[in-house]
Amino acid sequence: MRNTFKYALLLVGMTSLPAMAHIGYGGRDFGTFTATPGATSTIINQSFTGNHGWIDGTDADWGDSHRLRAYKFSLTEEADVSITFSGLSFVNSAGATVLGDTNPGFSLYSGLAHIAPFAADYDSAPGSIAIRDAVGGVGLTEGSFRTLTDWSITNDNNDPASVFTYIGSAYDGSSIDYGTGVIPGADGLADHMVSQVFHLTAGDYSIFVGGTDYFSSGVTPLPAYGLTGVVSVVPEPETYAMLLAGLGLLGFSARRRQAV
Ligand SMILES: [Ca+2]
Ligand SMILES: [Ca+2]
């Protein structure tokens, strides 16, 4: 290959990167937490495109990660972490109103996608397709994203795959069954908000958030839905139990003193 051609290709690749929205955490890093309860981080005015991204990863042909938003956070020690996402309308930088009426779902994984200086991961990278073909059958998957189990993906440089190890998931509204059985994790109340507490060890975590309307993927153009996310460190249940037990002992000794 002539060098000028190579550089031209390189330039095309570089200039087209920002528009492709491969997996990245830009503006969506909740930060690093210790086990001390009370720390909280809120990220507003993010969005995903299409209202089916999360639920589409529950079927046999998996899902397109471009239809979800990726967030990350880190823990320096074992902790109970509350994760909440709400569909919330806002006006974007182009002056357009982003819809708020989604019923979001999210999945939590340990592991991170490639970040700079590595190239971003995306579904149709040759390495990503090879991973899918090996697990899901040649040509049988539509994307790399899997809602309820582990998955892997890589970039154009075939760096060792990013591995997302499934921890848990939750979604807003009543239980969904689009024909493959009930999808677990419904919160039972369709209020555009879903929240769940996870007991986690120290490490790096990714959250993928998307819509839960399975049959909406044919809408053109796909609307964007606004999203607010909150990650907080909360007291562990044993802490509550110890606190209650302590209060009970105090009450007992107070009664004893009164009786004497
Ligand atoms: Ca699918
Ligand atoms: Ca809800």
Side-chain angles (χ1 to χ4, degrees):
M1 194 186 288
R2 295 224 346 249
N3 268 344
T4 44
F5 185 49
K6 263 200 284 193
Y7 290 135
L9 279 182
L10 189 65
L11 269 177
V12 167
M14 282 165 64
T15 49
S16 60
L17 263 179
M20 289 193 282
H22 299 333
I23 296 176
Y25 305 103
R28 291 183 299 278
D29 181 359
F30 287 108
T32 299
F33 299 88
T34 67
T36 308
T40 188
S41 176
T42 302
I43 297 175
I44 62 167
N45 294 0
Q46 292 292 317
S47 63
F48 53 74
T49 304
N51 203 15
H52 60 283
W54 185 85
I55 197 81
D56 196 30
T58 62
D59 63 14
D61 62 11
W62 312 3
D64 180 353
S65 69
H66 294 91
R67 301 278 75 88
L68 302 107
R69 272 291 183 249
Y71 294 73
K72 76 184 182 85
F73 67 93
S74 299
L75 286 178
T76 59
E77 49 195 336
E78 195 170 334
D80 273 21
V81 175
S82 163
I83 299 173
T84 304
F85 283 96
S86 309
L88 211 62
S89 179
F90 71 98
V91 177
N92 68 16
S93 54
T97 298
V98 177
L99 303 174
D101 60 343
T102 183
N103 301 109
F106 72 85
S107 295
L108 171 67
Y109 310 85
S110 65
L112 295 177
H114 287 112
I115 51 174
F118 294 98
D121 299 326
Y122 68 108
D123 298 54
S124 54
S128 300
I129 294 172
I131 293 168
R132 302 213 304 272
D133 285 353
V135 181
V138 175
L140 295 181
T141 52
E142 60 180 1
S144 299
F145 176 71
R146 304 193 74 184
T147 310
L148 302 172
T149 189
D150 307 345
W151 56 288
S152 302
I153 193 167
T154 191
N155 55 22
D156 275 336
N157 300 333
N158 258 325
D159 289 312
S162 303
V163 177
F164 300 109
T165 305
Y166 179 76
I167 293 170
S169 53
Y171 63 96
D172 178 43
S174 37
S175 287
I176 294 172
D177 179 353
Y178 56 84
T180 59
V182 171
I183 308 300
D187 73 3
L189 178 65
D191 57 357
H192 308 300
M193 184 180 95
V194 58
S195 190
Q196 176 102 7
V197 175
F198 300 89
H199 185 80
L200 303 173
T201 54
D204 297 316
Y205 295 90
S206 294
I207 314 167
F208 284 79
V209 191
T212 53
D213 184 356
Y214 187 79
F215 297 106
S216 69
S217 62
V219 177
T220 51
L222 290 170
Y225 295 87
L227 207 58
T228 290
V230 184
V231 168
S232 309
V233 177
V234 296
E236 298 187 24
E238 305 88 80
T239 313
Y240 283 128
M242 279 167 60
L243 190 67
L244 287 174
L247 286 173
L249 279 175
L250 281 175
F252 179 68
S253 55
R255 278 195 302 276
R256 267 170 57 106
R257 275 200 302 275
Q258 271 180 347
V260 169

